[in-house]
Amino acid sequence: MTQIQVKAAVLLIGDELLSGRTQDVNLQTIAKFLAPLGVQVAEARVVGDVPEQMITAINALRATYDYVFTTGGIGPTHDDKTADAVAAAFGVAIDVREDARAILQAHYKSASPLNEARLRMARIPDGATLIANPVSKAPGFQLGNVFVLAGVPSIMRGMLEDVGHRIEGGAVMRSVTVRGKGVREGDIAKELAALEAATNDMVAFGSYPWFSPPDSFGVHLVARSANAAALEKAAADLARLIESRGVEPERLE
Amino acid sequence: MTQIQVKAAVLLIGDELLSGRTQDVNLQTIAKFLAPLGVQVAEARVVGDVPEQMITAINALRATYDYVFTTGGIGPTHDDKTADAVAAAFGVAIDVREDARAILQAHYKSASPLNEARLRMARIPDGATLIANPVSKAPGFQLGNVFVLAGVPSIMRGMLEDVGHRIEGGAVMRSVTVRGKGVREGDIAKELAALEAATNDMVAFGSYPWFSPPDSFGVHLVARSANAAALEKAAADLARLIESRGVEPERLE
């Protein structure tokens, strides 16, 4: 493809994601948020509340991808280590910053005072810009190409509202899914590969079998492309491929 | 802690996980499967159907962790590239193997013949041992410390039955969760950090705020340890910490 590809990485932070206690949903939210902006998530990593792990991952990812999004580890407790790790990764200082403190000061009242623990949420690396938090106020921040967001999904989603306008995207990848009930992917694999090869890298095809107990099954064929005409042709090709198995194709969006 | 720590990494493979089309659930399943065997998942990565990405990740993870588990990319279609990537990462040859072919031959009948595409699922790197697939027959495999599993969650879970007996685990980490409804983590953060520090790395404490719209909220305090006595003391400490806020603690399991 000749259009510009802009790629992002997502770094999910937290022991609870690795222990199995918590099921991550932020990766999917971020991927769906970025796609229409013309940014594809090309890699994700999950690390624990371990500064060395975070620093290594942040530096590897920000050097490789156009944007990096981190989630988790920016709360008031001792296991919230992300802001310090980002500062260390960039080699910059970090301290309580007045604009962030003012946001917290306006929010926390006498029943929930702005104590020493909560003030940790105003620690911002030098050179970062704040990311507004419309849900619980404590801000995220952007440093270079790294966006540091909360881990709680509702708060993370709220912060994305202050992220979109900072992104310079490229070609927008769109996808079409064609469903074939009762079709086995092994019966169409050869033809599918030939269809993809014929697009000269204009369209990427994916094949995803599905099973619905006790005995229903089929395949979802997905075409992804930044070129609208090529995508429409691909969708028609996929529908014909399903029809060739004697099955009525369903186009899903 | 003086007990042996055994650590694993999980590598989730598939464009569909990065595009947001599919919500991964395999990381959580693997983490919960490994925990009682005495293996902690210490890192996870998600990569696309891109051989170079897979090879880099496989080699980085297998050199760092005791075990690596991959999911996805071992089906019959052109976008299934995991087996070849594992062979390339280890620098070994790969070809259709007779024992794997025999398994497929016994399964695929005339209506779904063992064609060229399906025969790709019998491609096994030299030196690997097969992992039984009780759901759809096409096997996974183990090469060195790397376990290569299917991506479809029901099939992946089935394959784990043939994995447990191959694992040499270490200390089993157990956890206790204490719930405090109406407690804000910022009000107990200082005391929580002091409790963790007093355990001399015997217990790890995590703090996870929760919100239940419209106006219910609280915190889950989690203690994790391989030492049963230390964990019980930690649970009692956390319960007292919640009580100190005038709230009845709930112990969850």
Side-chain angles (χ1 to χ4, degrees):
Chain A
M1 282 175 246
T2 54
Q3 291 154 294
I4 293 172
Q5 298 277 309
V6 177
K7 299 197 171 180
V10 175
L11 178 62
L12 308 166
I13 296 170
D15 288 350
E16 71 278 18
L17 302 171
L18 293 170
S19 72
R21 179 185 182 277
T22 300
Q23 167 67 58
D24 168 67
V25 296
N26 288 332
L27 172 57
Q28 189 176 41
T29 301
I30 293 172
K32 290 185 171 180
F33 171 79
L34 290 176
L37 300 176
V39 180
Q40 281 83 53
V41 176
E43 180 174 345
R45 297 192 189 184
V46 191
V47 297
D49 301 317
V50 182
E52 301 73 36
Q53 265 199 320
M54 296 183 204
I55 293 167
T56 300
I58 290 163
N59 280 335
L61 296 174
R62 73 188 178 99
T64 306
Y65 299 103
D66 300 298
Y67 297 105
V68 177
F69 295 82
T70 78
T71 69
I74 59 169
T77 54
H78 68 285
D79 53 344
D80 291 303
K81 302 170 182 173
T82 300
D84 285 85
V86 172
F90 278 82
V92 301
I94 179 169
D95 205 345
V96 171
R97 213 167 76 179
E98 280 312 310
D99 53 353
R101 181 211 289 263
I103 291 169
L104 297 176
Q105 195 76 63
H107 177 62
Y108 287 101
K109 307 298 180 189
S110 56
S112 302
L114 181 56
N115 56 21
E116 190 183 322
R118 294 197 170 98
L119 207 52
R120 292 188 68 228
M121 297 191 286
R123 287 171 61 77
I124 306 292
D126 281 3
T129 56
L130 301 185
I131 295 175
N133 170 356
V135 178
S136 58
K137 302 309 170 189
F141 61 85
Q142 175 191 358
L143 185 56
N145 62 343
V146 178
F147 294 81
V148 176
L149 308 174
V152 175
S154 58
I155 301 175
M156 201 284 293
R157 284 195 301 273
M159 287 182 170
L160 288 177
E161 295 174 21
D162 193 24
V163 167
H165 63 93
R166 308 177 191 216
I167 300 285
E168 284 191 55
V172 177
M173 297 285 283
R174 300 190 193 283
S175 71
V176 170
T177 299
V178 177
R179 175 183 165 102
K181 187 175 175 184
V183 174
R184 298 176 197 274
E185 62 174 358
D187 287 327
I188 54 167
K190 192 176 167 185
E191 295 78 2
L192 185 66
L195 285 176
E196 182 179 89
T199 72
N200 285 319
D201 288 341
M202 284 285 282
V203 185
F205 289 108
S207 172
Y208 306 105
W210 57 267
F211 307 95
S212 180
D215 57 7
S216 183
F217 66 89
V219 68
H220 286 137
L221 301 180
V222 176
R224 299 180 73 238
S225 178
N227 181 300
L231 189 61
E232 268 315 305
K233 179 178 182 310
D237 287 343
L238 293 179
R240 265 191 301 274
L241 181 56
I242 296 296
E243 278 171 348
S244 75
R245 301 298 302 172
V247 169
E248 187 68 28
E250 289 174 74
R251 180 166 167 161
L252 310 176
E253 221 58 40
Chain B
M1 279 177 249
T2 54
Q3 290 154 294
I4 293 171
Q5 298 278 309
V6 177
K7 298 196 172 181
V10 175
L11 178 62
L12 308 167
I13 296 170
D15 289 350
E16 72 278 17
L17 302 170
L18 293 170
S19 72
R21 179 185 181 278
T22 300
Q23 166 68 58
D24 168 67
V25 296
N26 288 331
L27 172 57
Q28 189 176 40
T29 301
I30 292 172
K32 288 185 171 180
F33 171 81
L34 291 175
L37 300 177
V39 180
Q40 281 82 55
V41 177
E43 180 174 346
R45 297 192 190 184
V46 190
V47 297
D49 301 317
V50 182
E52 302 73 37
Q53 263 198 322
M54 297 181 204
I55 293 167
T56 300
I58 290 163
N59 280 334
L61 296 174
R62 74 188 178 97
T64 306
Y65 299 102
D66 299 299
Y67 297 106
V68 177
F69 295 82
T70 78
T71 69
I74 60 168
T77 54
H78 69 286
D79 54 343
D80 290 303
K81 302 170 181 172
T82 300
D84 284 86
V86 172
F90 278 82
V92 301
I94 179 170
D95 205 344
V96 170
R97 213 167 75 180
E98 279 312 310
D99 53 352
R101 181 210 291 263
I103 292 169
L104 297 176
Q105 195 76 63
H107 178 61
Y108 287 102
K109 306 299 179 189
S110 57
S112 302
L114 182 55
N115 56 21
E116 189 184 322
R118 292 197 171 99
L119 207 52
R120 291 188 67 228
M121 297 191 288
R123 287 171 61 78
I124 305 292
D126 281 3
T129 57
L130 301 186
I131 295 174
N133 170 355
V135 179
S136 57
K137 302 308 171 189
F141 61 85
Q142 174 189 358
L143 183 57
N145 62 344
V146 178
F147 295 80
V148 177
L149 308 175
V152 175
S154 58
I155 301 175
M156 201 285 293
R157 284 194 301 273
M159 286 181 171
L160 287 176
E161 293 174 22
D162 192 24
V163 166
H165 63 92
R166 309 178 190 216
I167 300 285
E168 284 192 55
V172 177
M173 297 284 284
R174 299 188 193 284
S175 71
V176 170
T177 299
V178 177
R179 175 182 165 103
K181 187 176 176 183
V183 174
R184 298 176 197 274
E185 62 174 358
D187 288 326
I188 56 170
K190 191 176 167 184
E191 295 78 2
L192 184 66
L195 285 175
E196 181 179 89
T199 71
N200 285 319
D201 288 339
M202 284 284 281
V203 185
F205 289 108
S207 172
Y208 306 103
W210 57 267
F211 307 95
S212 180
D215 56 6
S216 184
F217 65 89
V219 68
H220 286 137
L221 301 179
V222 176
R224 298 181 72 238
S225 178
N227 181 300
L231 189 61
E232 268 314 305
K233 178 179 184 309
D237 286 343
L238 293 180
R240 265 191 300 275
L241 181 54
I242 295 295
E243 279 172 346
S244 75
R245 302 297 304 172
V247 169
E248 187 68 28
E250 290 173 76
R251 179 167 168 161
L252 310 177
E253 217 53 43

